[in-house]
Amino acid sequence: VERNRCLPLSLWHGKVQQQQQRLHCRQTFYGKTTVALDLVINPLRVATAHGVKVLCLVVGKPATNETENLRSNELLQASKVMMMLFTPSGDLITANIAARVYYSMALVK
């Protein structure tokens, strides 16, 4: 299953309710605690007194820590912001590409 960034809620209407497609995506929700969920947005046909309506049924489960860690690492490596991680004694543990280019590979062991 391919996981994509979620479409804005306004576009769910077209994809899910009109075209009756199932969407898979990962969405991060920010608040006191940040939570990343893998979402499946399904069309749900409901019979009403005024005819059949198609609604969105959203099912989410927490993204695994392993998946999130890999994703975060890839994002940090590709970032244009220079980032370096050191031990408490000052030894370089890792640096992303932007930092390596700026400070030169001599710093990276």
Side-chain angles (χ1 to χ4, degrees), residues 15-28:
K15 291 282 188 183
V16 178
Q17 292 175 284
Q18 290 180 338
Q19 298 173 19
Q20 297 190 22
Q21 295 179 7
R22 174 181 286 174
L23 298 178
H24 298 268
C25 64
R26 174 163 294 160
Q27 182 71 41
T28 303

Side-chain angles (χ1 to χ4, degrees), residues 3-46:
R3 302 255 189 271
N4 298 312
R5 288 185 55 110
C6 274
L7 294 171
L9 288 175
S10 60
L11 295 179
W12 288 14
H13 174 74
K15 291 282 188 183
V16 178
Q17 292 175 284
Q18 290 180 338
Q19 298 173 19
Q20 297 190 22
Q21 295 179 7
R22 174 181 286 174
L23 298 178
H24 298 268
C25 64
R26 174 163 294 160
Q27 182 71 41
T28 303
F29 298 90
Y30 299 94
K32 285 186 178 181
T33 302
T34 301
V35 178
L37 297 177
D38 286 329
L39 301 177
V40 179
I41 302 104
N42 298 292
L44 177 65
R45 296 174 58 87
V46 177

Side-chain angles (χ1 to χ4, degrees), residues 4-102:
N4 298 312
R5 288 185 55 110
C6 274
L7 294 171
L9 288 175
S10 60
L11 295 179
W12 288 14
H13 174 74
K15 291 282 188 183
V16 178
Q17 292 175 284
Q18 290 180 338
Q19 298 173 19
Q20 297 190 22
Q21 295 179 7
R22 174 181 286 174
L23 298 178
H24 298 268
C25 64
R26 174 163 294 160
Q27 182 71 41
T28 303
F29 298 90
Y30 299 94
K32 285 186 178 181
T33 302
T34 301
V35 178
L37 297 177
D38 286 329
L39 301 177
V40 179
I41 302 104
N42 298 292
L44 177 65
R45 296 174 58 87
V46 177
T48 70
H50 303 289
V52 175
K53 301 282 184 186
V54 180
L55 307 175
C56 292
L57 175 65
V58 181
V59 178
K61 66 177 186 172
T64 63
N65 285 338
E66 180 181 330
T67 304
E68 280 300 296
N69 289 343
L70 289 172
R71 183 172 173 239
S72 296
N73 187 46
E74 289 173 4
L75 289 171
L76 291 175
Q77 287 299 320
S79 173
K80 293 180 182 180
V81 175
M82 294 178 280
M83 291 178 259
M84 303 173 89
L85 180 63
F86 295 90
T87 64
S89 62
D91 295 322
L92 180 65
I93 296 172
T94 189
N96 71 345
I97 294 168
R100 290 177 191 175
V101 169
Y102 187 79

